Amino acid sequence: MDSTKEGSRFYENELKKEKQVNQRIENMMQRKAQITSQQLRKAQVQVDRFVMELEQSRNLNNTIIHIDMDAFYAAVEMRDNPELKDKPIAVGSVSMLSTSNYHARRFGVRAAMPGFIARRLCPQLIIVPPNFDKYRAVSKEVKEILADYDPNFMAMSLDEAYLNITKHLQERQNWPEDKRRYFIKTRNSVENDKPGEEVNQLNEHEQSISPLLFEESPPDLQLPGNPFQVNFKEQNNPQILQNSVVFGTSAEEVVKEIRFRIEQKTTLTASAGIAPNTMLAKICSDKHKPNGQYQILPNRQAVMDFIKDLPIRKVSGIGKVTEKMLKALGIITCTDLYQQRALLSLLFSETSWHYFLHISLGLGSTHLARDGERKSMSVERTFSEINKAEEQYSLCQELCSELAQDLQKEGLKGRTVTIKLKNVNFEVKTRASTVSSVVSTAEEIFAIAKELLRTEIDADFPHPLRLRLMGVRISSFPNEEDKKHQQRSIIGFLQAGNQSLSATDCMLEKTDKDQFVKPLEMSQKKSFFDNKRSERKWSHKDTFKCETVNKRSLQISQPFQILKTKMSENLETSENSDNCQIFTCPVCFREQGHISLEAFNKHVDACLDGSSISENSKMSSFSHASSTEVNEEENVHYSFSLCEKQNYEAHLKNTEITSVDCVDLMGTIDSSSKAECVDTLRNKHSKEECSSLPSKSFNIENCHQDSCAVSLENEDVGLLSRQESHQPYLNEVITGQTLVCPVCNLEQKTSDLTLFNVHMDVCLNKGIIQELRKDKVNPVNQHKESSRSTGSSSRVQTTVTRTKRPGLMAKHSASKKIKPINSKHTLDTFFK
DNA sequence: GCGGATCAC
DNA sequence: TATGGTGATCCGC
């Protein structure tokens, strides 16, 4: 575009991306050149066999409609502000527009265009900031109408939806006229959203309702003669007030009715497409936009006629890049696409060429898939350059807090945290880390995210990262099966422990507790959560009584450890879905029946404290705990149960577990996989190079470079004195704020067990190698390690989690086999 | 599982 | 002066 400033960073990046696409195309063309005619013939046979199957499965029995509000945001703004009428407007900001009205579109102003560019195209352009609440409200009104025709309609966004009106059409055939009659309402008259009883019927053929509604109208005409406005002026005229219209029983009439009702209710127009499947309906809705509709009749010939010259780019799912790649093969229309089907099957993945074949046959989804469970949740923000590491960490933490709040609203927890960075040159990078148990709090997420960020900052050192965007995403949400499995495992452990463990094994001694409280930490400035936790007594810290010999102080980027007060403000009671379950107290081993998690945790707290519930009630100021807190505790108890399992096993083996054993017990790590991890993060060596690296080569220097910045500022002098005493791993308790990571051997400034677990996962993911391992590798474990191909985690819990992995994987691959077709969300509805 | 890319809205 | 945010999926490692 000539409006794009030559040499701008954005433009340069666009050029770079374009080159990459061209390279892809070149690669593709080279592969094409190597295809022999015999290969092609063979492919043709196979593909055509598939075509037969598809053709046989063609289903024309459904009536799918796609409703699309015209220039929705802009239309709402114009409706509510008459001054904007007849002016080119766009909704958005100077940096980005969401939509524009048709007037502005004449100037080339489009959605997804920066406002300042749009202004160059159209200096009179009025840019209106978005009012999403308002759009949501209007959208809700529209959806109420849609639900009358298909209660299972699928909303794609605020202004778009698919409906399957097959059933409605059947029922409608027997409807009396009155049930299909609607009154024409004036703007300020009473609600008229239901079929009327009678009154003068206006023949729709008189087209006196809305010329726009019943005629294919030229684009962008806000007709001054819009009858509803006319009626508004003449609302005292009883004759006009009593006008009504009856809609027929065909699909076309249904859609007219829907659009009529939408316009009556919202004063906004919609366009619609009617077709036997979603792919076609979507394209149809665009055909007579704005304020029009188009139908493909449900017979094969009509479909094929429509498809014939259709540019592939019109199809949802074919974007700029795919269009360009196919164009390189001479494919522009769907007919081209069909003719090249054999070639495409050789050049593209199965997913892709199946998809292409569906398109070229005019096939699509004939049912509306229910909204599946969400797979990820993210926050990201663009800003003017930030290059100070401190500010970057701070920002990262803020994003984590926001994300945590969003997660809490949906009661979700995930195992994978991904950060996204875009530098001032618009180059995007993502870095992910998966931990073995779910996380959800701001602190947990930040613990992972900041390490990912640190790795990137360190990688460019001494140059700062010059960022223009940062994002945090969480994914790998456990499915229902995962959750059940997890719960069963916990109960199983607890019940097993019940038989051979005495409760006192896990009880804590007051003296022990105090002994391990780090005085410095106590006086340090603390966040809301830290303070809150300080009040708690956690016996399960014994899990981590792993004081080791080679200790350093790990400074995990402390400047932004303090959570913003925002966090605490957002604590709201929220019912967690897994609130009422049968829990067995890991301390007294009594089954607690159907109680809430919160109640259960209270019970455990009391048990652990050996104190009465009433004493515990000093926590009551916090006891309307947020689900965040509840979740936290849930994790804690989970870990606790695993600690017990270790204990239990230790009893069976009659072994004394030392701190060193503890490390080995808790963490088996495969050095090659660690190398891979490091490699992945550094992105410098090939996998092969790294996996052949002996673990010895990863000294503390690597650690500094690649992961945790190690600080020897040593706040842990006090701890050093404790190191020598090899405390038994179990049967003892730490209650203070100091935990030592068995992976990096470094003290962690946290009393939050979950957070600590997260740290360990991060440590393992990053390939930190504790020196201890070099000196004292347990041969047995070493063997175990070398026999493992994937990285493992530091917790027994991991084993638990992983056991179910195969099942999950199997299911995953199975579903892939059954449904090999690309199930991209945009294509979800496309395939049956 | 990770990271880059593509796509839709 | 200045080019978004959210979610999903796929491919090749």
Side-chain angles (χ1 to χ4, degrees):
Chain A
M1 261 207 268
D2 45 31
S3 58
T4 305
K5 196 171 91 188
E6 203 73 24
S8 76
R9 298 179 193 276
F10 176 81
Y11 183 68
E12 291 300 321
N13 190 253
E14 289 298 298
L15 286 182
K16 191 180 128 193
K17 286 196 290 185
E18 197 185 321
K19 276 185 187 162
Q20 283 176 4
V21 170
N22 288 338
Q23 185 60 55
R24 264 182 80 183
I25 291 174
E26 205 173 299
N27 295 344
M28 179 184 72
M29 297 308 275
Q30 278 179 15
R31 272 184 288 136
K32 185 197 170 194
Q34 288 172 358
I35 293 172
T36 65
S37 54
Q38 192 190 339
Q39 283 175 312
L40 202 57
R41 276 198 303 275
K42 192 181 166 195
Q44 189 76 52
V45 173
Q46 288 180 334
V47 172
D48 282 350
R49 199 177 301 152
F50 187 48
V51 169
M52 296 265 289
E53 286 175 32
L54 290 178
E55 197 56 67
Q56 223 168 350
S57 69
R58 186 188 291 271
N59 178 355
L60 297 165
N61 298 324
N62 285 273
T63 307
I64 308 292
I65 66 180
H66 181 253
I67 303 276
D68 193 342
M69 300 294 293
D70 300 323
F72 186 50
Y73 299 169
V76 173
E77 297 301 334
M78 288 168 70
R79 178 192 74 173
D80 295 348
N81 183 355
E83 297 210 343
L84 300 177
K85 284 263 157 80
D86 305 321
K87 289 179 185 157
I89 75 157
V91 176
S93 68
V94 184
S95 44
M96 189 55 60
L97 302 180
S98 295
T99 188
S100 56
N101 66 0
Y102 283 84
H103 197 343
R105 287 182 201 187
R106 287 208 195 103
F107 294 86
V109 175
R110 297 273 184 280
M113 176 183 280
F116 68 94
I117 302 265
R119 277 263 166 75
R120 289 184 209 160
L121 294 169
C122 174
Q124 328 90 288
L125 182 72
I126 298 171
I127 298 178
V128 185
N131 296 293
F132 285 106
D133 288 340
K134 197 195 278 183
Y135 310 146
R136 258 189 293 274
V138 179
S139 180
K140 185 166 167 263
E141 289 186 298
V142 173
K143 286 170 184 170
E144 282 166 7
I145 294 171
L146 301 184
D148 285 347
Y149 302 85
D150 177 8
N152 300 317
F153 76 93
M154 185 165 63
M156 304 302 288
S157 60
L158 290 182
D159 71 331
E160 251 184 61
Y162 289 100
L163 286 77
N164 185 339
I165 58 165
T166 313
K167 203 174 157 197
H168 170 85
L169 277 172
Q170 283 167 5
E171 292 166 1
R172 191 181 175 94
Q173 300 311 308
N174 307 318
W175 283 12
E177 233 176 60
D178 278 350
K179 221 173 166 182
R180 293 178 271 117
R181 183 196 312 278
Y182 285 85
F183 293 105
I184 300 166
K185 140 190 117 155
T186 61
R187 182 104 200 239
N188 293 334
S189 67
V190 195
E191 181 74 6
N192 174 19
D193 197 30
K194 291 291 163 194
E197 329 213 51
E198 72 143 87
V199 192
N200 321 340
Q201 172 188 340
L202 255 184
N203 187 335
E204 63 202 67
H205 297 301
E206 293 169 18
Q207 296 186 358
S208 54
I209 310 306
S210 166
L212 282 176
L213 192 57
F214 297 108
E215 275 182 335
E216 305 309 349
S217 50
D220 191 57
L221 281 188
Q222 300 293 330
L223 285 197
N226 183 322
F228 306 127
Q229 270 120 47
V230 171
N231 285 345
F232 178 67
K233 288 177 198 154
E234 305 175 24
Q235 59 182 308
N236 292 328
N237 182 336
Q239 180 66 42
I240 291 181
L241 262 182
Q242 292 191 334
N243 283 346
S244 72
V245 60
V246 173
F247 293 91
T249 56
S250 66
E252 209 175 357
E253 288 292 307
V254 170
V255 172
K256 281 179 183 174
E257 182 181 297
I258 292 173
R259 292 174 48 232
F260 170 83
R261 290 178 62 191
I262 289 173
E263 188 169 357
Q264 287 278 289
K265 196 171 182 180
T266 67
T267 336
L268 300 172
T269 62
S271 296
I274 311 162
N277 64 56
T278 56
M279 179 205 70
L280 294 172
K282 165 88 181 168
I283 300 168
C284 286
S285 70
D286 209 43
K287 189 98 174 166
H288 286 158
K289 199 173 240 304
N291 200 10
Q293 62 185 67
Y294 186 91
Q295 176 175 25
I296 298 176
L297 292 170
N299 65 74
R300 187 179 181 279
Q301 195 53 52
V303 170
M304 295 319 277
D305 286 348
F306 181 83
I307 284 293
K308 193 166 161 280
D309 296 321
L310 185 73
I312 50 166
R313 184 63 166 88
K314 294 276 182 187
V315 179
S316 176
I318 306 276
K320 219 176 82 173
V321 174
T322 309
E323 177 190 33
K324 190 170 179 179
M325 292 189 68
L326 292 176
K327 193 176 178 183
L329 298 170
I331 297 170
I332 305 286
T333 68
C334 289
T335 300
D336 302 334
L337 198 62
Y338 182 72
Q339 285 170 350
Q340 300 294 330
R341 60 194 181 282
L343 178 62
L344 293 174
S345 78
L346 295 172
L347 290 177
F348 288 84
S349 70
E350 190 179 65
T351 310
S352 296
W353 73 259
H354 278 200
Y355 170 58
F356 293 149
L357 202 55
H358 273 81
I359 294 170
S360 64
L361 291 169
L363 298 171
S365 177
T366 54
H367 77 294
L368 306 184
R370 262 190 27 251
D371 279 353
E373 288 182 1
R374 89 151 59 229
K375 306 237 170 35
S376 74
M377 188 182 269
S378 64
V379 284
E380 66 184 59
R381 200 139 304 147
T382 295
F383 36 79
S384 55
E385 175 170 350
I386 293 183
N387 50 40
K388 293 195 181 68
E390 284 187 7
E391 291 175 23
Q392 289 164 353
Y393 284 117
S394 176
L395 180 66
C396 180
Q397 186 176 37
E398 256 180 65
L399 292 170
C400 289
S401 296
E402 282 180 36
L403 184 57
Q405 286 171 33
D406 292 345
L407 278 174
Q408 193 190 342
K409 282 177 201 155
E410 296 191 26
L412 288 170
K413 304 170 179 190
R415 290 171 47 240
T416 302
V417 172
T418 307
I419 63 165
K420 175 176 170 181
L421 305 174
K422 191 194 280 180
N423 66 19
V424 290
N425 293 321
F426 291 87
E427 295 162 329
V428 179
K429 237 185 227 177
T430 61
R431 292 292 179 265
S433 177
T434 301
V435 294
S436 55
S437 62
V438 289
V439 295
S440 63
T441 67
E443 286 172 306
E444 291 161 359
I445 298 168
F446 183 54
I448 299 167
K450 79 178 167 193
E451 292 308 317
L452 293 170
L453 176 58
R454 181 197 309 286
T455 303
E456 294 311 304
I457 290 174
D458 287 353
D460 275 14
F461 188 82
H463 305 294
L465 295 183
R466 304 183 59 195
L467 301 180
R468 78 178 329 272
L469 172 146
M470 189 186 292
V472 183
R473 169 164 58 251
I474 187 159
S475 51
S476 304
F477 301 129
N479 56 33
E480 285 309 312
E481 218 173 295
D482 290 336
K483 287 179 196 161
K484 277 179 201 161
H485 193 283
Q486 193 174 12
Q487 187 55 38
R488 272 202 303 275
S489 304
I490 296 171
I491 302 285
F493 277 132
L494 293 172
Q495 285 169 348
N498 201 355
Q499 293 159 10
S500 60
L501 278 180
S502 76
T504 51
D505 283 344
C506 279
M507 292 295 278
L508 71 151
E509 301 272 333
K510 197 112 187 143
T511 52
D512 282 330
K513 286 199 285 186
D514 296 335
Q515 184 185 341
F516 289 98
V517 171
K518 194 179 173 195
L520 186 62
E521 283 282 319
M522 296 296 281
S523 59
Q524 289 284 338
K525 52 180 179 170
K526 286 182 195 162
S527 73
F528 172 83
F529 282 119
D530 289 330
N531 284 321
K532 192 169 154 190
R533 267 186 289 275
S534 299
E535 295 188 47
R536 303 183 56 85
K537 322 268 200 261
W538 287 1
S539 80
H540 39 255
K541 291 201 176 60
D542 58 353
T543 312
F544 299 97
K545 188 163 187 175
C546 300
E547 305 290 348
T548 46
V549 182
N550 297 302
K551 190 191 298 284
R552 284 166 206 89
S553 142
L554 174 62
Q555 182 118 31
I556 296 218
S557 136
Q558 300 308 334
F560 308 103
Q561 285 287 43
I562 307 305
L563 278 179
K564 300 200 158 39
T565 45
K566 194 163 115 193
M567 280 295 299
S568 53
E569 285 164 9
N570 275 288
L571 292 177
E572 284 167 38
T573 313
S574 114
E575 286 299 321
N576 202 311
S577 56
D578 43 20
N579 246 0
C580 279
Q581 294 173 1
I582 298 178
F583 291 106
T584 305
C585 172
V587 183
C588 69
F589 294 111
R590 288 201 193 93
E591 196 173 285
Q592 295 303 304
H594 290 270
I595 60 172
S596 73
L597 198 53
E598 191 184 339
F600 172 69
N601 284 329
K602 269 189 188 168
H603 165 89
V604 176
D605 285 346
C607 258
L608 290 172
D609 281 349
S611 63
S612 67
I613 299 282
S614 65
E615 186 183 327
N616 210 5
S617 69
K618 69 178 170 187
M619 283 297 296
S620 67
S621 55
F622 298 109
S623 65
H624 48 285
S626 66
S627 70
T628 305
E629 191 64 6
V630 170
N631 294 343
E632 223 167 55
E633 293 178 3
E634 183 185 343
N635 281 339
V636 164
H637 289 148
Y638 187 12
S639 297
F640 179 84
S641 69
L642 294 160
C643 135
E644 272 188 5
K645 193 191 175 196
Q646 294 181 349
N647 199 357
Y648 175 50
E649 286 169 345
H651 269 259
L652 290 181
K653 292 183 199 160
N654 198 18
T655 324
E656 189 189 339
I657 303 176
T658 67
S659 60
V660 174
D661 289 328
C662 157
V663 171
D664 287 329
L665 220 177
M666 296 179 65
T668 49
I669 183 160
D670 177 277
S671 59
S672 67
S673 82
K674 278 194 287 189
E676 266 182 47
C677 281
V678 171
D679 170 60
T680 307
L681 290 161
R682 301 182 78 177
N683 218 1
K684 281 178 185 165
H685 309 295
S686 75
K687 201 184 253 183
E688 290 73 23
E689 275 177 312
C690 258
S691 56
S692 63
L693 281 173
S695 62
K696 255 188 228 165
S697 69
F698 288 88
N699 52 25
I700 195 65
E701 293 268 48
N702 289 88
C703 252
H704 179 69
Q705 279 271 321
D706 299 319
S707 47
C708 318
V710 176
S711 156
L712 295 176
E713 289 171 23
N714 253 339
E715 304 159 303
D716 59 346
V717 180
L719 279 165
L720 287 169
S721 61
R722 289 206 304 276
Q723 292 167 6
E724 306 306 328
S725 62
H726 283 223
Q727 302 287 348
Y729 164 49
L730 299 167
N731 303 338
E732 294 247 11
V733 170
I734 302 175
T735 73
Q737 276 66 44
T738 300
L739 296 169
V740 177
C741 171
V743 184
C744 66
N745 284 346
L746 301 175
E747 171 190 339
Q748 297 304 299
K749 278 190 187 173
T750 179
S751 60
D752 181 329
L753 198 56
T754 312
L755 209 49
F756 183 72
N757 282 339
V758 167
H759 162 82
M760 283 199 294
D761 275 318
V762 170
C763 249
L764 285 170
N765 284 343
K766 299 187 78 166
I768 291 179
I769 307 220
Q770 72 272 38
E771 290 186 324
L772 177 73
R773 293 184 49 77
K774 289 196 233 158
D775 306 331
K776 305 189 179 188
V777 176
N778 178 330
V780 177
N781 281 337
Q782 192 176 35
H783 178 259
K784 240 198 264 173
E785 286 162 25
S786 57
S787 68
R788 282 216 182 183
S789 58
T790 57
S792 63
S793 177
S794 54
R795 278 164 283 168
V796 177
Q797 181 185 349
T798 304
T799 315
V800 177
T801 310
R802 302 255 157 139
T803 358
K804 74 174 186 282
R805 243 23 215 160
L808 199 129
M809 295 299 282
K811 191 189 164 199
H812 188 67
S813 61
S815 74
K816 239 186 176 175
K817 271 195 171 171
I818 294 164
K819 221 172 96 178
I821 296 166
N822 181 348
S823 58
K824 222 171 154 174
H825 84 287
T826 52
L827 310 180
D828 259 356
T829 58
F830 186 79
F831 297 108
K832 181 168 175 191

